[in-house]
Amino acid sequence: MAPPPFGILLTGLLLAAAVSLGSAFRASPLPATARRTSDLARCTLLAAEEGDDAEMGGVDEYRNPATALLSNFMQKDGDGATAVDPLADIDFDAPKVDKLPLETLATALDAELYEKEWFVTGNVNPIYFSDEFRFQDPDVKLTGIEEYARGVTKIFDQDASRAEIISSVVNATVPDTITVTWRLSGRVNIGPKGLPIKPYICYTDFTVDPDTGLIVFQEDRFAVPGWDILLSALFPFLIGKVTSDPAPEVEPRVVKMPRIRGAKNPGMLDGLLQQLGL
């Protein structure tokens, strides 16, 4: 199972353990939330010490050793013999979409992401992705759209997490690139009860092969610095005081799916029903 792509958040959690964040508040007793977080941090270090020889899963390279260590403390899957595969309905070998104009591809991705929120659900449509697809962030490199999908499915609490799409447009300054702006919120599956994610804005850059029209590379950027994500997750009472306020709610909008082979083509009423939340 691939560890999560969002290495900045994970790295921050291990750094908190390494420096024992609780010591920063020795002048006064820690609130209960912070005490539980410090316990989690200590457990993380213990798990890391015991898991140095753990398999790397679908990750090609851990660019930061902290991410490799923290991957040992993610919540475990259930019994492999009985666990239901959340991505069983996805055909990762489906034929690829024919080359589309970049603007049409951006519109299609916008509509599919708005519906499926696959940045957290993993419910990707593989027809848009090259077999050589690569993902990279400051901490992790991985290859393959299935590895990416399974990674985000595992890290994010599927009952709480959202990837609300604000826009998906052709990048005006970077060639062959589509940039998606979205709001991340919910919870990550780290520790026995998971950790909350303060809502913040993310930017995903899809690099498109100009010959095939398929996505070959994805890189995510964040509107808030890593230390803000870290402190907000570990010490929610600092949100709006030391760390930034949560990102504002995303207004509903009507999206239109172009008619292309291999993608869901909506009926006439789909946009209206979506706007009504039905």
Side-chain angles (χ1 to χ4, degrees), residues 71-201:
S71 67
N72 294 291
F73 202 62
M74 289 180 59
Q75 294 175 6
K76 303 299 183 183
D77 292 332
D79 184 352
T82 59
V84 176
D85 181 0
L87 305 181
D89 292 336
I90 299 177
D91 181 4
F92 287 101
D93 296 319
K96 303 302 181 182
V97 68
D98 294 333
K99 183 179 178 181
L100 300 169
L102 205 56
E103 293 79 4
T104 303
L105 179 59
T107 301
L109 290 170
D110 187 59
E112 294 231 39
L113 280 164
Y114 191 91
E115 176 188 356
K116 299 177 180 179
E117 300 187 17
W118 71 56
F119 293 144
V120 297
T121 66
N123 188 22
V124 301
N125 190 338
I127 68 171
Y128 302 112
F129 294 87
S130 167
D131 290 337
E132 288 73 45
F133 170 78
R134 295 179 297 113
F135 175 91
Q136 177 179 313
D137 71 8
D139 300 294
V140 170
K141 290 182 179 180
L142 62 81
T143 301
I145 187 58
E146 182 172 0
E147 297 295 348
Y148 170 83
R150 296 195 180 280
V152 297
T153 301
K154 182 174 177 62
I155 183 59
F156 290 109
D157 181 335
Q158 296 301 306
D159 293 326
S161 300
R162 296 291 311 276
E164 298 172 273
I165 306 303
I166 299 171
S167 67
S168 306
V169 299
V170 176
N171 194 302
T173 59
V174 183
D176 303 313
T177 300
I178 293 170
T179 297
V180 182
T181 303
W182 52 288
R183 179 182 186 263
L184 174 63
S185 62
R187 183 173 293 271
V188 290
N189 294 319
I190 297 177
K193 296 182 179 180
L195 287 175
I197 303 170
K198 177 187 67 177
Y200 62 93
I201 300 301

Side-chain angles (χ1 to χ4, degrees), residues 12 22 32 38 42 67-68 83 100 112 120 134 142 160 181 187 191 204 209 211 223 230 233 239 274:
S38 296
R42 286 192 292 272
T67 307
L100 300 169
E112 294 231 39
V120 297
R134 295 179 297 113
L142 62 81
T181 303
R187 183 173 293 271
T204 291
D209 186 319
D211 295 324
L230 160 65
I239 295 175
Q274 183 182 64

